[in-house]
């Protein structure tokens, strides 16, 4: 599910159609002797350092901002830089959020797609393919890099946070390095408005070095978004694939 990956890594997966079949991972075709070898030691996570007073103040104000935010709407622009392919895929659309745990992403370009998170259910609607996929996600396992937007996760508990240098940033750049070994992503960078403490842009660095950047534009908070906007009513003829029943709870 694209949305599951998207949420697990703070929008770390580009919204593109998944291939019908995927090649077997290299680890699955290793020789028996290689499989029997002792596993390599996991890389040691960097030692967690204390935040500077400036960074601590901004992080605390940012956390407080999202804790008091009941809903928000925003335009977004997403640029996913594939490191191996040396190309960038750009997308754009709108996003709305409402507590507790309702989120809807409407992709307009390069093609129309809708992704909705409603509790532990996730929905992916592809109008061109006339399909609606339904899955499930354990929101308790989401990183604080996602849940702080919901007013829950504590960034300072999971990351070493430092101020980064950025000439092109519209706000203060915060660099978040996982305090523990994190297989889902290497680093998170947040551009934060120093006055409002809103996140203007988030960038997730994948384990392979690819970067997924999402800029939030025209952000509006506490506007009274109706819960009905998080429901998907696909047109007649849409094939519905309910994968949630096959997923372990």
């Amino acid at each position: 599910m694209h949305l599951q990956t998207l949420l697990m890594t703070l929008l770390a997966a580009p919204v593109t159609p998944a291939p019908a079949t995927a090649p077997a991972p290299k680890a699955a075709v290793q020789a028996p002797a290689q499989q029997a070898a002792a596993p390599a030691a996991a890389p040691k996570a960097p030692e967690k350092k204390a935040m500077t007073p400036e960074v601590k103040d901004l992080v605390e104000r940012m956390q407080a901002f999202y804790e008091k935010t009941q809903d928000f709407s925003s335009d977004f622009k997403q640029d996913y830089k594939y490191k191996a392919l040396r190309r960038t895929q750009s997308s754009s659309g709108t996003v709305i959020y409402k507590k507790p745990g309702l989120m809807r992403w409407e992709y307009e370009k390069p093609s129309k797609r809708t992704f909705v998170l409603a509790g532990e259910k996730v929905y992916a609607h592809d109008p061109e393919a006339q399909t609606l996929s339904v899955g499930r996600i354990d929101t308790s396992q989401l990183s604080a890099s996602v849940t702080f937007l919901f007013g829950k996760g504590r960034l300072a508990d999971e990351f070493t946070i430092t101020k980064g240098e950025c000439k092109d940033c519209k706000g203060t750049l915060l660099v978040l390095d996982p305090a523990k070994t994190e297989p889902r992503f290497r680093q998170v960078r947040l551009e934060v408005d120093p006055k409002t403490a809103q996140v203007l842009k988030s960038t997730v660095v994948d384990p392979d070095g690819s970067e997924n950047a999402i800029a939030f534009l025209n952000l509006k908070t506490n506007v009274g978004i109706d819960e009905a906007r998080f429901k998907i009513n696909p047109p007649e003829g849409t094939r519905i694939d309910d994968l949630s029943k096959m997923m372990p709870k």
Side-chain angles (χ1 to χ4, degrees), residues 7 125 167 194 244:
L7 287 169
H125 181 221
K167 295 180 180 179
S244 64

Side-chain angles (χ1 to χ4, degrees), residues 111-164:
S111 59
K112 290 184 177 296
R113 281 184 177 79
T114 302
F115 296 89
V116 171
L117 169 69
E120 293 195 342
K121 284 289 187 74
V122 288
Y123 303 84
H125 181 221
D126 185 336
E128 185 175 337
Q130 293 185 304
T131 59
L132 173 63
S133 299
V134 185
R136 188 173 62 247
I137 185 172
D138 184 357
T139 54
S140 67
Q141 299 301 312
L142 292 175
S143 166
S145 61
V146 176
T147 57
F148 92 94
L149 291 172
F150 303 165
K152 293 182 178 180
R154 303 294 300 176
L155 293 172
D157 293 341
E158 294 189 21
F159 295 92
T160 294
I161 308 176
T162 57
K163 182 179 179 180

Side-chain angles (χ1 to χ4, degrees), residues 2-3 6 14-18 76 89 91-95 104-116 123-132 232:
H2 286 294
L3 183 60
L6 176 145
V15 181
T16 55
F76 71 85
Q89 176 184 315
S91 308
S92 61
T94 60
V95 57
R104 180 173 183 137
W105 296 83
E106 289 282 359
Y107 280 78
E108 298 293 339
K109 297 178 181 179
S111 59
K112 290 184 177 296
R113 281 184 177 79
T114 302
F115 296 89
V116 171
Y123 303 84
H125 181 221
D126 185 336
E128 185 175 337
Q130 293 185 304
T131 59
L132 173 63
I232 294 183

Side-chain angles (χ1 to χ4, degrees), residues 45-52 55 59 154-163 174-180 186-189:
E47 182 180 351
K48 194 173 186 295
K49 299 180 180 179
M51 292 181 286
T52 65
V55 170
V59 170
R154 303 294 300 176
L155 293 172
D157 293 341
E158 294 189 21
F159 295 92
T160 294
I161 308 176
T162 57
K163 182 179 179 180
L174 297 180
V175 179
L176 286 68
D177 292 302
K180 298 180 180 179
R186 183 188 299 177
Q187 187 180 78
V188 178
R189 303 169 193 151

